[in-house]
């Protein structure tokens, strides 16, 4: 004899990560830290962009950085020279950061008090990958995806999930536009098709002035966030 | 009384980076070591994406063939109303009553 029980669960398979992401968000908000998650394919220019953004934000926001890499601390060393506190996460075999890794940094380090300055912005550099980082929210306030012009303007169509989930997309290495067939208009259109609310920027770290619109957008995002604090929407939650 | 899982139903939305074959492979590898799950069948249901376009609130299926734009007006996704699922919909458990020696003798 046997009995059958059909248990209707609708349990979120990544619930552990999503709960920890929410927990990280509570840490950030309690400490007045605005957290920004930078994602891209390997080599699109995340570390280089951060090395230019940090000095820009230094005076007012005292940025801190969490550097995610599979192996080594090369990027962390590159950013440490800016004077910003940099926390390295070596993910080992994992091709993305997850909320647990961020929680460990938040619990194990006094990131809230560096050189007598409280950071009010935290840059998180994810592992170079356009697939898995989209699946693991970290508790960040904004998600940025970089797409360098050498990668091709069709990439939003091939990696729709990460572009749909982005708050802003940055087309990087625009100094190289003359050497490649990258149509900025097409690329922007694809991104807007995937997410009409996404902001789009084109810049080059070789042309310092080109970073300004993106830096301004970040500053405005911090201001907006301070007005709407406490609201937490998971990247996947609007489906339900 | 021992119970074991016989069917596990999972839903994966089109706008999640989850490959059903890889998930099934991992599921089979994990279940085999546990008497409560070793006979469990995985049923995966793919959920297609449905978007609401930003300006005109049309409901449409965002597809690569149309560059993910609204098939009616060409506008972009305002929000997704389905396609981001990644969940266990249900698990069917069976309670197996093992026949004891006594019962066998009675029969
Ligand atoms: N021409 C040009 N090269 C750039 C620009 N930004 C970055 N690069 C170069 O691109 C290469 C990769 O840059 P990184 O900043 O290391 O890229 P990343 O995204 O941090 O790379 P990973 O962390 O390994 O994924 C380096 O050789 C940079 O010098 C740019 O605006 N223009
Ligand atoms: Mg880097
Ligand atoms: Zn904590
Ligand atoms: Zn429409």
């Amino acid at each position: 004899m046997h009995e059958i029980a059909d248990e209707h669960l609708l349990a979120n398979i990544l619930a552990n990560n999503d709960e920890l992401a929410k927990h990280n968000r509570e840490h950030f908000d309690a400490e007045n830290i605005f957290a920004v998650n930078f994602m891209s394919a390997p080599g699109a220019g995340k570390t280089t962009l951060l090395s230019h953004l940090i000095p820009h934000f230094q005076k007012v926001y005292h940025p801190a950085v969490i550097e995610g890499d599979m192996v080594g601390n090369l990027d962390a060393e590159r950013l440490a020279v800016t004077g910003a506190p940099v926390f390295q996460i070596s993910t080992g075999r994992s091709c993305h950061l997850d909320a647990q890794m961020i929680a460990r940094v938040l619990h194990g380090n006094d990131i809230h008090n560096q050189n007598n300055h409280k950071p009010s912005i935290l840059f998180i550099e994810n592992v170079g990958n356009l697939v898995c980082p989209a699946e693991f929210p970290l508790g960040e306030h904004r998600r940025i995806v970089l797409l360098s012009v050498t990668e091709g303007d069709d990439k939003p169509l091939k990696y729709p999930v990460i572009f749909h989930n982005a708050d802003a997309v940055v087309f990087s290495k625009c100094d190289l536009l003359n050497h490649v067939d990258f149509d900025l208009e097409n690329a922007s259109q694809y991104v807007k098709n995937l997410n009409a609310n996404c902001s789009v920027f084109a810049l080059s770290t070789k042309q310092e002035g080109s970073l300004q619109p993106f830096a301004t957008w970040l500053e405005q995002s911090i201001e907006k966030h301070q007005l709407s604090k406490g609201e937490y929407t998971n990247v996947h939650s609007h489906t339900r | 009384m021992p119970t074991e899982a016989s069917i596990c139903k999972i839903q994966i939305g089109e706008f999640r980076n989850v490959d059903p074959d890889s998930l099934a492979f991992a599921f089979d590898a994990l279940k085999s070591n546990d008497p409560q799950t070793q006979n469990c069948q995985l049923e995966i249901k793919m959920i297609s994406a449905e978007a609401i376009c930003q300006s005109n609130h049309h409901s449409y299926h965002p597809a690569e063939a149309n560059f993910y734009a609204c098939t009616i007006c060409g506008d972009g996704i305002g929000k997704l109303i389905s396609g981001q699922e990644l969940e266990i919909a249900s698990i069917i458990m069976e309670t197996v009553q093992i026949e004891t020696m006594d019962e066998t003798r009675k029969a």
Side-chain angles (χ1 to χ4, degrees):
Chain A
M1 177 207 114
H2 66 223
E3 284 165 27
I4 294 180
D6 190 352
E7 265 189 63
H8 287 270
L9 292 164
L10 278 185
N12 175 359
I13 291 176
L14 285 177
N16 282 353
N17 185 80
D18 293 357
E19 279 304 307
L20 271 167
K22 209 169 159 185
H23 177 83
N24 293 341
R25 169 64 74 89
E26 285 163 6
H27 272 273
F28 296 143
D29 285 348
E31 300 288 342
N32 272 314
I33 292 174
F34 188 77
V36 188
N37 181 3
F38 286 84
M39 295 168 283
S40 78
K46 299 179 292 298
T47 308
T48 310
L49 177 60
L50 289 179
S51 72
H52 286 76
L53 286 177
I54 291 167
H56 179 97
F57 282 88
Q58 202 112 48
K59 264 207 189 113
V60 182
Y61 298 95
H62 312 293
V65 181
I66 294 180
E67 224 351 288
D69 269 308
M70 290 179 72
V71 181
N73 57 356
L74 283 175
D75 285 359
E77 283 172 3
R78 280 166 70 196
L79 293 179
V81 300
T82 62
V86 182
F87 301 90
Q88 170 79 48
I89 298 176
S90 294
T91 62
R93 295 198 174 28
S94 180
C95 57
H96 57 271
L97 290 175
D98 64 34
Q100 166 107 57
M101 299 174 191
I102 301 295
R104 270 195 223 116
V105 173
L106 296 177
H107 294 160
N109 298 277
D110 188 11
I111 94 157
H112 319 116
N113 219 338
Q114 291 289 330
N115 315 325
N116 299 318
H117 287 306
K118 284 171 93 60
S120 45
I121 189 162
L122 171 69
F123 297 126
I124 302 172
E125 180 179 341
N126 219 309
V127 182
N129 178 349
L130 284 175
V131 184
C132 307
E135 290 297 325
F136 294 87
L138 307 174
E140 72 281 72
H141 297 96
R142 292 291 185 277
R143 280 174 292 274
I144 316 295
V145 176
L146 271 74
L147 173 60
S148 59
V149 300
T150 52
E151 292 169 69
D153 52 23
D154 58 346
K155 291 305 166 289
L157 302 177
K158 294 190 175 179
Y159 301 92
V161 177
I162 201 163
F163 286 95
H164 170 75
N165 290 346
D167 298 300
V169 169
V170 170
F171 301 122
S172 60
K173 310 191 190 181
C174 283
D175 56 291
L176 301 177
L177 272 173
N178 289 335
H179 305 280
V180 291
D181 296 323
F182 187 100
D183 189 323
L184 271 181
E185 254 174 54
N186 280 350
S188 308
Q189 190 59 58
Y190 299 153
V191 170
K192 291 280 186 188
N193 288 351
L194 281 160
N195 178 357
N197 297 304
C198 188
S199 301
V200 174
F201 301 92
L203 55 78
S204 159
T205 53
K206 309 241 180 235
Q207 298 150 2
E208 201 62 42
S210 68
L211 272 56
Q212 192 56 53
F214 178 58
T216 303
W217 179 86
L218 275 175
E219 285 160 1
Q220 287 169 347
S221 303
I222 297 174
E223 279 164 31
K224 258 192 227 159
H225 169 65
Q226 277 161 352
L227 301 174
S228 71
K229 213 135 120 210
E231 290 168 25
Y232 178 78
T233 38
N234 185 288
V235 59
H236 303 125
S237 66
H238 35 278
T239 289
R240 287 239 201 107
Chain B
M1 251 181 293
T3 56
E4 56 176 55
S6 59
I7 299 175
C8 176
K9 297 182 186 172
I10 284 179
Q11 304 188 343
I12 305 177
E14 203 181 346
F15 263 61
R16 295 299 295 252
N17 287 322
V18 177
D19 177 57
D21 290 339
S22 305
L23 187 70
F25 181 81
F27 183 84
D28 283 343
L30 284 174
K31 75 176 187 181
S32 58
N33 291 326
D34 178 358
Q36 283 194 290
T37 56
Q38 63 189 1
N39 296 318
C40 187
Q41 295 297 313
L42 185 66
E43 284 181 10
I44 297 178
K45 183 175 168 197
M46 299 303 288
I47 312 270
S48 76
E50 185 181 350
I52 301 293
C53 81
Q54 173 79 354
S55 313
N56 299 310
H57 308 288
H58 298 125
S59 159
Y60 72 101
H61 175 236
E64 205 259 353
N66 204 37
F67 307 120
Y68 301 97
C70 175
T71 45
I72 302 160
C73 71
D75 201 18
I77 298 175
K79 67 172 182 179
L80 285 178
I81 55 173
S82 76
Q84 292 187 302
E85 299 77 4
L86 179 59
E87 53 211 9
I88 302 171
S90 69
I91 296 179
I92 297 181
M93 302 292 295
E94 294 192 17
T95 309
V96 188
Q97 194 168 37
I98 301 170
E99 292 185 8
T100 62
M101 296 285 269
D102 276 2
E103 281 167 342
T104 321
R105 241 177 265 139
K106 264 184 245 155

